[in-house]
Amino acid sequence: MNAREAVEALLGGRVTGVRRGGGSICLVTLHGGEVVVAKRGVGKGATEAEAAGLRWLGEYGDVPVPAVLGQDDEWLVLQYVPPASPAPAAAEAFGRGLARLHLRGAEAFGSPPPGGPVDAWMGVAPMRNEPHPDWPAFFAQERIEPYVRLCVDQRLLTADEVKVFDTVCERLPALAGPAEPPARVHGDAWSGNVHWSHDGVWLIDPAAHGGHRESDLAMLLLFRTSLVDHILGAYAESATDAGAPLEDGWRDRIPLHQLFPLLMHAAVFGGGYARQALSAARAALR
Protein backbone atom coordinates (compact mmCIF):
# COMPACT_ATOMS: atom_id res chain seq x y z
CA MET A 1 0.00 0.00 0.00
CA ASN A 2 1.36 3.44 -0.91
CA ALA A 3 0.69 6.78 0.81
CA ARG A 4 -2.27 7.67 -1.39
CA GLU A 5 -3.96 4.32 -0.81
CA ALA A 6 -3.24 4.44 2.91
CA VAL A 7 -4.73 7.90 3.39
CA GLU A 8 -7.80 7.09 1.34
CA ALA A 9 -8.35 3.89 3.31
CA LEU A 10 -7.76 5.43 6.74
CA LEU A 11 -9.59 8.73 6.22
CA GLY A 12 -12.22 7.64 3.73
CA GLY A 13 -11.60 10.63 1.46
CA ARG A 14 -10.17 11.23 -1.99
CA VAL A 15 -6.54 12.23 -2.44
CA THR A 16 -5.68 14.83 -5.07
CA GLY A 17 -1.91 15.04 -4.62
CA VAL A 18 1.07 13.40 -2.94
CA ARG A 19 4.43 15.07 -2.36
CA ARG A 20 7.31 13.26 -0.76
CA GLY A 21 8.80 14.94 2.30
CA GLY A 22 11.82 13.21 3.78
CA GLY A 23 12.46 9.51 4.28
CA SER A 24 9.20 7.65 4.80
CA ILE A 25 7.06 10.81 5.05
CA CYS A 26 4.68 12.19 2.43
CA LEU A 27 2.52 15.33 2.36
CA VAL A 28 -0.87 14.34 1.04
CA THR A 29 -3.48 16.79 -0.26
CA LEU A 30 -7.10 15.79 0.22
CA HIS A 31 -10.08 16.75 -1.92
CA GLY A 32 -10.97 20.17 -0.58
CA GLY A 33 -7.36 21.28 -0.09
CA GLU A 34 -6.50 20.00 3.39
CA VAL A 35 -2.92 18.69 3.71
CA VAL A 36 -2.05 15.78 6.00
CA VAL A 37 1.13 13.88 6.76
CA ALA A 38 1.36 10.19 5.84
CA LYS A 39 4.19 8.37 7.57
CA ARG A 40 5.19 4.75 6.98
CA GLY A 41 6.30 2.90 10.10
CA VAL A 42 9.91 1.77 10.25
CA GLY A 43 9.09 -1.64 11.74
CA LYS A 44 6.69 -3.71 13.79
CA GLY A 45 4.78 -1.62 16.32
CA ALA A 46 6.24 1.69 15.13
CA THR A 47 2.95 3.34 14.14
CA GLU A 48 1.25 2.03 17.28
CA ALA A 49 4.05 3.39 19.48
CA GLU A 50 4.11 6.82 17.83
CA ALA A 51 0.34 7.21 17.93
CA ALA A 52 0.20 6.24 21.60
CA GLY A 53 3.07 8.59 22.38
CA LEU A 54 1.47 11.56 20.63
CA ARG A 55 -1.84 11.03 22.42
CA TRP A 56 -0.12 10.72 25.79
CA LEU A 57 2.09 13.78 25.31
CA GLY A 58 -0.83 15.82 24.03
CA GLU A 59 -3.29 14.77 26.74
CA TYR A 60 -3.20 18.08 28.65
CA GLY A 61 -2.11 20.42 25.87
CA ASP A 62 1.08 21.50 27.64
CA VAL A 63 3.03 21.34 24.37
CA PRO A 64 1.16 20.97 21.08
CA VAL A 65 1.62 17.74 19.13
CA PRO A 66 0.09 16.72 15.79
CA ALA A 67 -3.31 15.05 16.02
CA VAL A 68 -3.45 11.40 15.02
CA LEU A 69 -5.98 11.22 12.17
CA GLY A 70 -5.61 7.55 11.26
CA GLN A 71 -3.39 4.56 11.86
CA ASP A 72 -2.89 0.95 10.86
CA ASP A 73 0.02 -1.47 11.21
CA GLU A 74 1.94 0.18 8.37
CA TRP A 75 0.86 3.82 8.11
CA LEU A 76 0.20 6.77 10.39
CA VAL A 77 -1.77 9.80 9.19
CA LEU A 78 -1.14 13.00 11.13
CA GLN A 79 -2.17 16.63 11.20
CA TYR A 80 0.12 18.79 9.07
CA VAL A 81 1.67 21.75 10.88
CA PRO A 82 3.22 24.35 8.54
CA PRO A 83 6.76 25.37 9.54
CA ALA A 84 7.95 28.83 10.58
CA SER A 85 11.14 30.44 11.83
CA PRO A 86 12.25 30.14 15.47
CA ALA A 87 11.29 33.03 17.74
CA PRO A 88 12.28 33.82 21.35
CA ALA A 89 8.72 34.11 22.62
CA ALA A 90 7.84 30.72 21.14
CA ALA A 91 10.99 29.20 22.64
CA GLU A 92 10.12 30.47 26.11
CA ALA A 93 6.52 29.26 25.86
CA PHE A 94 7.82 25.87 24.80
CA GLY A 95 10.19 25.73 27.76
CA ARG A 96 7.36 26.46 30.18
CA GLY A 97 5.10 23.91 28.50
CA LEU A 98 7.78 21.22 28.53
CA ALA A 99 8.26 21.70 32.28
CA ARG A 100 4.52 21.21 32.81
CA LEU A 101 4.50 18.16 30.54
CA HIS A 102 7.31 16.46 32.45
CA LEU A 103 5.52 17.01 35.75
CA ARG A 104 2.43 15.17 34.48
CA GLY A 105 4.42 12.07 35.38
CA ALA A 106 4.33 8.46 34.28
CA GLU A 107 3.43 5.11 35.78
CA ALA A 108 7.06 4.01 36.15
CA PHE A 109 10.52 4.52 34.73
CA GLY A 110 10.47 2.74 31.39
CA SER A 111 6.69 2.47 31.19
CA PRO A 112 5.27 2.85 27.67
CA PRO A 113 2.47 5.33 26.99
CA PRO A 114 -1.00 3.91 27.66
CA GLY A 115 -1.84 1.58 24.79
CA GLY A 116 1.71 1.69 23.47
CA PRO A 117 3.85 -1.41 22.89
CA VAL A 118 6.79 -2.42 25.07
CA ASP A 119 8.89 -2.86 21.93
CA ALA A 120 8.97 0.61 20.41
CA TRP A 121 11.32 2.75 18.33
CA MET A 122 13.55 5.80 18.47
CA GLY A 123 13.87 6.92 14.88
CA VAL A 124 14.94 3.79 13.00
CA ALA A 125 16.36 2.04 16.08
CA PRO A 126 14.40 -0.43 18.21
CA MET A 127 13.83 0.70 21.79
CA ARG A 128 12.35 -1.32 24.65
CA ASN A 129 10.05 0.31 27.20
CA GLU A 130 10.07 -2.04 30.16
CA PRO A 131 9.04 -0.67 33.60
CA HIS A 132 11.73 -0.57 36.30
CA PRO A 133 11.64 0.43 39.96
CA ASP A 134 14.11 3.30 39.53
CA TRP A 135 15.77 5.34 36.79
CA PRO A 136 19.35 4.00 37.17
CA ALA A 137 18.14 0.40 36.71
CA PHE A 138 16.02 1.36 33.71
CA PHE A 139 18.73 3.44 32.06
CA ALA A 140 21.43 0.82 32.50
CA GLN A 141 19.39 -2.21 31.42
CA GLU A 142 17.24 -0.73 28.65
CA ARG A 143 19.24 2.21 27.31
CA ILE A 144 22.98 1.62 27.78
CA GLU A 145 23.70 -2.11 27.86
CA PRO A 146 21.71 -3.17 24.74
CA TYR A 147 23.35 -0.52 22.55
CA VAL A 148 26.83 -1.18 23.88
CA ARG A 149 26.29 -4.81 22.83
CA LEU A 150 25.21 -3.68 19.35
CA CYS A 151 28.35 -1.55 19.07
CA VAL A 152 30.51 -4.47 20.18
CA ASP A 153 28.87 -6.69 17.58
CA GLN A 154 29.90 -4.14 14.95
CA ARG A 155 33.42 -3.89 16.39
CA LEU A 156 32.95 -0.22 17.22
CA LEU A 157 34.15 -0.61 20.82
CA THR A 158 37.08 -2.51 22.30
CA ALA A 159 36.93 -4.60 25.46
CA ASP A 160 38.66 -1.84 27.44
CA GLU A 161 36.18 0.73 26.12
CA VAL A 162 33.25 -1.46 27.11
CA LYS A 163 34.58 -1.40 30.67
CA VAL A 164 34.02 2.36 30.76
CA PHE A 165 30.30 1.85 30.08
CA ASP A 166 30.19 -1.00 32.59
CA THR A 167 31.58 1.36 35.21
CA VAL A 168 28.93 3.95 34.35
CA CYS A 169 26.21 1.36 34.84
CA GLU A 170 27.69 0.21 38.16
CA ARG A 171 27.91 3.77 39.43
CA LEU A 172 24.60 5.01 38.04
CA PRO A 173 22.82 5.26 41.41
CA ALA A 174 25.44 7.79 42.50
CA LEU A 175 25.88 9.48 39.10
CA ALA A 176 22.14 10.05 38.56
CA GLY A 177 21.82 12.74 41.23
CA PRO A 178 18.90 13.05 43.65
CA ALA A 179 16.03 10.66 43.00
CA GLU A 180 13.09 12.07 41.03
CA PRO A 181 9.68 10.65 40.18
CA PRO A 182 9.21 9.35 36.62
CA ALA A 183 8.53 12.15 34.14
CA ARG A 184 6.37 12.12 31.02
CA VAL A 185 9.14 12.52 28.45
CA HIS A 186 9.20 12.90 24.68
CA GLY A 187 12.30 10.71 24.54
CA ASP A 188 13.80 12.03 21.28
CA ALA A 189 13.69 15.81 21.68
CA TRP A 190 16.55 16.62 19.35
CA SER A 191 16.37 19.76 17.21
CA GLY A 192 14.73 17.95 14.28
CA ASN A 193 11.75 16.98 16.43
CA VAL A 194 11.29 20.49 17.82
CA HIS A 195 9.00 21.88 15.12
CA TRP A 196 8.68 25.66 14.90
CA SER A 197 5.34 26.89 13.59
CA HIS A 198 3.47 30.18 13.36
CA ASP A 199 1.65 29.39 16.63
CA GLY A 200 4.63 28.16 18.63
CA VAL A 201 6.72 25.04 19.06
CA TRP A 202 5.29 21.60 18.43
CA LEU A 203 6.84 18.27 19.35
CA ILE A 204 6.86 15.58 16.67
CA ASP A 205 8.14 12.01 16.23
CA PRO A 206 8.21 10.95 19.89
CA ALA A 207 9.93 8.04 21.58
CA ALA A 208 7.71 8.64 24.60
CA HIS A 209 8.03 6.76 27.88
CA GLY A 210 8.32 7.25 31.61
CA GLY A 211 11.80 8.66 32.03
CA HIS A 212 14.00 11.31 33.59
CA ARG A 213 13.23 14.90 32.66
CA GLU A 214 16.95 15.70 32.37
CA SER A 215 17.10 13.28 29.41
CA ASP A 216 14.83 15.53 27.31
CA LEU A 217 16.90 18.57 28.26
CA ALA A 218 20.11 16.76 27.31
CA MET A 219 18.61 15.89 23.92
CA LEU A 220 17.74 19.55 23.30
CA LEU A 221 21.41 20.32 23.82
CA LEU A 222 22.90 17.38 21.91
CA PHE A 223 22.43 18.87 18.44
CA ARG A 224 21.90 22.42 19.74
CA THR A 225 18.23 23.21 19.26
CA SER A 226 17.54 26.76 18.07
CA LEU A 227 17.17 29.25 20.94
CA VAL A 228 17.90 26.48 23.44
CA ASP A 229 19.04 28.95 26.08
CA HIS A 230 15.63 30.65 25.95
CA ILE A 231 13.96 27.25 26.20
CA LEU A 232 16.01 26.10 29.18
CA GLY A 233 15.74 29.40 31.01
CA ALA A 234 11.95 29.39 30.79
CA TYR A 235 11.89 25.68 31.68
CA ALA A 236 13.91 26.22 34.86
CA GLU A 237 11.74 29.17 35.91
CA SER A 238 8.51 27.23 35.33
CA ALA A 239 9.76 24.13 37.14
CA THR A 240 10.78 26.25 40.12
CA ASP A 241 7.41 28.02 40.19
CA ALA A 242 5.73 24.59 40.20
CA GLY A 243 7.72 23.54 43.27
CA ALA A 244 9.93 21.10 41.35
CA PRO A 245 13.15 22.96 40.53
CA LEU A 246 15.85 21.24 38.56
CA GLU A 247 18.26 19.50 40.91
CA ASP A 248 21.69 20.98 41.50
CA GLY A 249 24.27 19.67 39.07
CA TRP A 250 21.84 18.86 36.27
CA ARG A 251 24.11 20.45 33.69
CA ASP A 252 27.00 18.26 34.88
CA ARG A 253 24.81 15.22 34.18
CA ILE A 254 24.16 16.15 30.54
CA PRO A 255 26.83 13.73 29.21
CA LEU A 256 25.25 10.90 31.22
CA HIS A 257 21.83 11.50 29.69
CA GLN A 258 23.31 11.83 26.20
CA LEU A 259 24.78 8.33 26.35
CA PHE A 260 21.67 6.62 25.01
CA PRO A 261 21.17 8.76 21.88
CA LEU A 262 24.90 8.65 21.13
CA LEU A 263 25.06 4.87 21.50
CA MET A 264 21.92 4.48 19.41
CA HIS A 265 23.41 6.67 16.69
CA ALA A 266 26.61 4.62 16.83
CA ALA A 267 24.69 1.37 16.40
CA VAL A 268 22.78 2.78 13.42
CA PHE A 269 25.22 5.18 11.76
CA GLY A 270 28.70 4.04 12.79
CA GLY A 271 31.92 4.70 14.59
CA GLY A 272 32.07 8.48 14.91
CA TYR A 273 29.18 8.39 17.33
CA ALA A 274 30.85 5.55 19.25
CA ARG A 275 33.77 7.90 19.94
CA GLN A 276 31.36 10.59 21.11
CA ALA A 277 29.56 8.10 23.36
CA LEU A 278 32.84 7.01 24.89
CA SER A 279 33.78 10.66 25.56
CA ALA A 280 30.39 11.25 27.17
CA ALA A 281 30.79 8.16 29.36
CA ARG A 282 34.17 9.35 30.56
CA ALA A 283 32.78 12.82 31.23
CA ALA A 284 29.94 11.31 33.25
CA LEU A 285 32.47 9.52 35.47
CA ARG A 286 34.50 12.64 36.28
Side-chain angles (χ1 to χ4, degrees):
M1 183 181 294
N2 59 33
R4 176 188 296 271
E5 294 166 340
V7 170
E8 290 180 341
L10 289 169
L11 301 189
R14 184 164 63 86
V15 169
T16 60
V18 177
R19 177 163 58 91
R20 186 164 297 280
S24 59
I25 296 174
C26 294
L27 298 181
V28 179
T29 303
L30 305 178
H31 181 69
E34 180 185 1
V35 178
V36 298
V37 175
K39 183 176 180 180
R40 189 192 296 269
V42 297
K44 183 179 179 181
T47 59
E48 180 185 3
E50 183 168 346
L54 288 169
R55 294 185 179 110
W56 190 50
L57 296 174
E59 182 178 2
Y60 295 97
D62 301 304
V63 177
V65 298
V68 178
L69 305 177
Q71 174 220 333
D72 61 19
D73 291 342
E74 184 182 7
W75 287 93
L76 189 64
V77 182
L78 302 171
Q79 174 188 3
Y80 171 63
V81 181
S85 298
E92 291 164 7
F94 170 54
R96 292 189 292 270
L98 185 63
R100 293 193 299 271
L101 174 63
H102 286 164
L103 294 177
R104 298 295 180 184
E107 183 178 337
F109 290 107
S111 62
V118 169
D119 292 310
W121 296 80
M122 181 179 181
V124 297
M127 180 188 79
R128 187 166 178 82
N129 291 327
E130 185 73 53
H132 286 264
D134 56 59
W135 184 76
F138 158 69
F139 196 61
Q141 295 175 39
E142 308 296 345
R143 294 297 186 264
I144 297 181
E145 293 170 355
Y147 293 88
V148 169
R149 288 196 297 270
L150 287 173
C151 289
V152 170
D153 290 344
Q154 298 179 55
R155 299 183 179 179
L156 299 175
L157 296 171
T158 67
D160 285 342
E161 290 168 343
V162 169
K163 290 177 182 177
V164 178
F165 295 99
D166 290 342
T167 302
V168 170
C169 291
E170 291 165 5
R171 292 179 52 189
L172 259 174
L175 297 174
E180 292 203 358
R184 188 174 303 203
V185 300
H186 177 278
D188 192 11
W190 74 290
S191 58
N193 290 336
V194 175
H195 181 78
W196 301 84
S197 186
H198 67 280
D199 57 353
V201 176
W202 294 56
L203 282 173
I204 62 173
D205 198 13
H209 61 280
H212 199 302
R213 58 180 174 166
E214 291 176 9
S215 295
D216 269 356
L217 305 186
M219 280 296 293
L220 290 171
L221 288 161
L222 182 57
F223 299 112
R224 201 66 188 174
T225 302
S226 295
L227 299 174
V228 69
D229 292 335
H230 288 76
I231 295 169
L232 295 178
Y235 181 103
E237 181 180 345
S238 180
T240 298
D241 290 345
L246 287 165
E247 297 288 352
D248 290 344
W250 75 267
R251 285 188 178 273
D252 296 330
R253 292 186 290 273
I254 288 170
L256 175 66
H257 288 273
Q258 290 178 344
L259 279 180
F260 167 53
L262 288 172
L263 285 167
M264 183 276 287
H265 276 72
V268 174
F269 300 113
Y273 288 108
R275 304 275 72 76
Q276 291 184 51
L278 186 60
S279 295
R282 288 172 171 153
L285 291 171
R286 293 192 188 111

